[in-house]
Amino acid sequence: MADNRKASRYIVPVAVAGVAAATIGLVPALAASGDPDLPEITAQQLIEKIAASDTQTLSGTFKVSTDLGLPSVAGLAGSLGGGSGSASADPQEKLTQLVSGTHTLRVAADGPEKQRLTILDGSDEYSLIHNGDDVWGYDSKSNEVFHEKADGAGKAPEKELPATPKELADEILKAADGTTSITVGGTAKVAGRDAYQLVVKPKQSGSTVESVKVAVDAQNGTPLKFTLASVDGGKPVLDAGFTKVDFGRPAASTFDFEAPKGAKVTEGAAGHEKAPAEVEKELEKGFGGLEGLFGGAGAGAEGPNVIGEGWTSIATFDTGAKAPKTDDAPAEVQGFLDALGDKVSGKFGSGTVFKTKLVNALLTDDGKVYVGAVTKQALVDAANAAQQG
């Protein structure tokens, strides 16, 4: 188990697919008819299949598209005096870029000690390679190299895990609290592979999440695609999946790396506050803290207070400061803020709801914050209820 967790640290597709595991409360359901024609399976059996998957080798192409429904920032950087920023080979900076826009990646893995991920951006590429004791990051645009010993990445904290896939599925079933519906929504072809579609939906009203879909390889149980749709419709908030995949062993040379001549090499221990082990945490934060927002066990354990449960959980805290006035801001900045926020009022007073297709936040004029994967009205209702309390 520990080796598998270590491998996933450097393979974003596996990490993305893992987000789904934090969102699922199960209700057994039979697969609908579809193409390809696969044997019927219950949701519990499909979860067991995912848990039993022991995919150690793969290579392929992976596409990640994120659309949070944010307004355009064109011209905003200039008005603030900022630029496009300099290129860097630091994994912390590069991998967090995956939480916005559309990116194509090449991925490869050969067990827990060898993984490679390459982000393709036009003619430029960024590669992150883990090979035994070494972690390398290379940015072709800047010709910069990041290097760190894998031991410096630290170890994932040990967790008590169910001993078998069946026990894991049973634990997920026990966690179901009536807030979530899950079905096997037919079948699909993903990257040329037969797959079952696991469909997760909130039962509660007020959530911004319309559904979470996970395409699961019918043969080996590997998640192939993850889609998060908003009640606002349009493009999915997150659509991440393989377009090509091969579960054979990649060539050993895939994981070889030597710094190009003339490249600037930066050692991770020199001037980098966060080791690559922190990259996974940064990605989890970037994808919205889905576990806590969707009723994860850790919600509210530290930090903000949490109102409600399940998909409509709302984190709340008091900044202790009144909301800043932006009337004197540059026109470009004011336009951006106006597009991002809606003025609201109620028994709590007045404030602004800053909105995306997934996570919304209410900042009241007296400095209180309410945030969650819930609708604008749900935030206003929560603030009103807190005022009455």
Side-chain angles (χ1 to χ4, degrees), residues 285-311:
K285 292 178 182 177
F287 282 115
L290 296 180
E291 181 174 359
L293 290 174
F294 295 165
E302 296 180 8
N305 294 323
V306 176
I307 301 171
E309 62 179 357
W311 300 78

Side-chain angles (χ1 to χ4, degrees), residues 40-373:
E40 288 187 345
I41 190 171
T42 67
Q44 179 175 2
Q45 289 170 337
L46 188 51
I47 288 297
E48 291 176 14
K49 191 175 189 70
I50 297 172
S53 178
D54 190 29
T55 299
Q56 295 289 317
T57 62
L58 64 81
S59 60
T61 305
F62 197 85
K63 185 176 181 180
V64 180
S65 295
T66 307
D67 180 11
L68 289 171
L70 293 171
S72 172
V73 295
L76 182 60
S79 69
L80 295 175
S84 57
S86 59
S88 170
D90 188 339
Q92 178 188 335
E93 297 181 19
K94 286 295 182 179
L95 295 188
T96 52
Q97 294 176 10
L98 298 178
V99 303
S100 64
T102 297
H103 305 271
T104 299
L105 299 78
R106 287 197 303 263
V107 297
D110 184 3
E113 297 297 327
K114 294 182 179 182
Q115 301 93 36
R116 183 179 186 122
L117 178 152
T118 299
I119 304 173
L120 308 176
D121 184 10
S123 60
D124 300 316
E125 295 185 0
Y126 174 78
S127 292
L128 179 62
I129 304 103
H130 171 217
N131 190 346
D133 293 334
D134 294 291
V135 175
W136 296 94
Y138 175 62
D139 182 69
S140 67
K141 184 176 183 179
S142 63
N143 198 29
E144 291 189 15
V145 174
F146 172 93
H147 175 248
E148 188 164 59
K149 289 295 183 181
D151 288 343
K155 295 182 179 179
E158 294 296 329
K159 298 180 181 179
E160 293 294 328
L161 296 173
T164 67
K166 176 65 165 59
E167 290 181 9
L168 177 60
D170 288 344
E171 286 298 315
I172 296 172
L173 281 167
K174 289 178 184 177
D177 55 6
T179 65
T180 306
S181 165
I182 183 165
T183 60
V184 181
T187 62
K189 278 280 189 182
V190 179
R193 305 279 300 185
D194 291 350
Y196 290 104
Q197 293 268 31
L198 196 65
V199 182
V200 184
K201 290 186 176 184
K203 288 184 177 179
Q204 299 163 296
S205 61
S207 172
T208 56
V209 177
E210 192 278 328
S211 67
V212 177
K213 295 182 180 179
V214 184
V216 181
D217 192 289
Q219 181 177 348
N220 59 32
T222 301
L224 298 175
K225 188 174 183 180
F226 176 84
T227 305
L228 174 60
S230 166
V231 293
D232 288 344
K235 295 180 180 179
V237 174
L238 176 64
D239 190 20
F242 284 100
T243 56
K244 295 181 181 179
V245 66
D246 184 338
F247 292 104
R249 187 180 301 277
S253 60
T254 302
F255 310 102
D256 293 339
F257 180 79
E258 183 176 345
K261 185 177 180 179
K264 176 185 176 182
V265 179
T266 302
E267 293 294 330
H272 286 267
E273 297 180 356
K274 293 185 179 180
E278 299 299 312
V279 171
E280 184 176 4
K281 293 180 181 178
E282 295 295 331
L283 281 171
E284 290 171 356
K285 292 178 182 177
F287 282 115
L290 296 180
E291 181 174 359
L293 290 174
F294 295 165
E302 296 180 8
N305 294 323
V306 176
I307 301 171
E309 62 179 357
W311 300 78
T312 54
S313 298
I314 297 173
T316 178
F317 57 94
D318 192 342
T319 66
K322 292 185 178 181
K325 294 183 178 181
T326 61
D327 295 341
D328 297 329
E332 294 86 350
V333 175
Q334 187 63 53
F336 177 80
L337 293 174
D338 289 343
L340 190 63
D342 289 339
K343 299 293 184 181
V344 294
S345 61
K347 295 178 181 178
F348 67 88
S350 59
T352 303
V353 172
F354 296 96
K355 55 189 185 296
T356 73
K357 291 173 66 174
L358 179 61
V359 178
N360 295 324
L362 166 60
L363 174 60
T364 66
D365 289 345
D366 60 358
K368 294 183 177 61
V369 177
Y370 300 82
V371 60

Side-chain angles (χ1 to χ4, degrees), residues 19-33:
V19 175
T23 72
I24 296 172
L26 293 177
V27 177
L30 292 178
S33 60

